[in-house]
Amino acid sequence: MASIFSRIIAGEIPSYKIAEDDRYYAFLDINPLTEGHTLVVPKKEVDYIFDLDDETLSGLILFAKKIAARIGRKIACKRVAVVVLGLEVPHTHIHLIPIKDEKDVDFQREKLKLTPEEFAKIAETIAMEQ
């Protein structure tokens, strides 16, 4: 069965898309730690990041780098944190989290509650031109 991320990529489940190319997809996390918290995934469904072939892994990092730079320019933050956990969805993904403090990356804290309008505005702010 396809992962939720594969279903998002296929358009079966809506998302707040930030960027896409033929191999990767980036979208806002719907349970964000901070405004602009973005997930970056390969379109190829592989559970564990280090099981990706070298070309896909390096491409994923380079794709994420462009998005992180855009987030850093558009969202007020000190840095864009990069986190790879990967236990909740069996599809490789990188979290890009705009942070002002290291506590902003605590996944145990309460997530932001944003309206669809707020998500749409954030996505519009940081979306990459296609």
Side-chain angles (χ1 to χ4, degrees):
M1 185 163 85
S3 77
I4 190 168
F5 293 162
S6 290
R7 295 180 65 213
I8 287 169
I9 293 163
E12 296 171 17
I13 297 173
S15 70
Y16 297 96
K17 182 169 73 169
I18 301 303
E20 177 180 20
D21 69 12
D22 60 323
R23 298 173 59 203
Y24 308 100
Y25 193 88
F27 55 100
L28 292 180
D29 190 317
I30 61 166
N31 293 303
L33 293 174
T34 64
E35 288 188 15
H37 181 167
T38 299
L39 298 176
V40 182
V41 303
K43 290 184 174 179
K44 176 193 279 187
E45 188 174 314
V46 174
D47 181 13
Y48 182 50
I49 192 167
F50 294 120
D51 286 339
L52 291 171
D53 62 82
D54 291 350
E55 182 180 343
T56 302
L57 176 60
S58 60
L60 178 66
I61 297 299
L62 293 172
F63 186 77
K65 180 181 178 182
K66 292 177 197 172
I67 295 162
R70 176 82 175 181
I71 292 169
R73 287 192 306 274
K74 298 293 186 174
I75 302 289
C77 62
K78 287 187 180 179
R79 292 244 165 109
V80 176
V82 179
V83 178
V84 178
L85 295 173
L87 294 176
E88 63 277 9
V89 177
H91 190 138
T92 295
H93 55 287
I94 295 174
H95 295 261
L96 299 178
I97 307 166
I99 62 170
K100 295 179 181 169
D101 185 280
E102 288 182 1
K103 294 176 191 145
D104 291 339
V105 187
D106 178 1
F107 280 81
Q108 299 305 309
R109 71 186 181 102
E110 188 172 341
K111 309 301 187 280
L112 296 180
K113 306 285 191 249
L114 301 174
T115 65
E117 295 78 21
E118 290 169 317
F119 275 115
K121 183 172 173 40
I122 294 165
E124 182 180 319
T125 298
I126 60 177
M128 305 286 285
E129 291 80 28
Q130 300 295 315

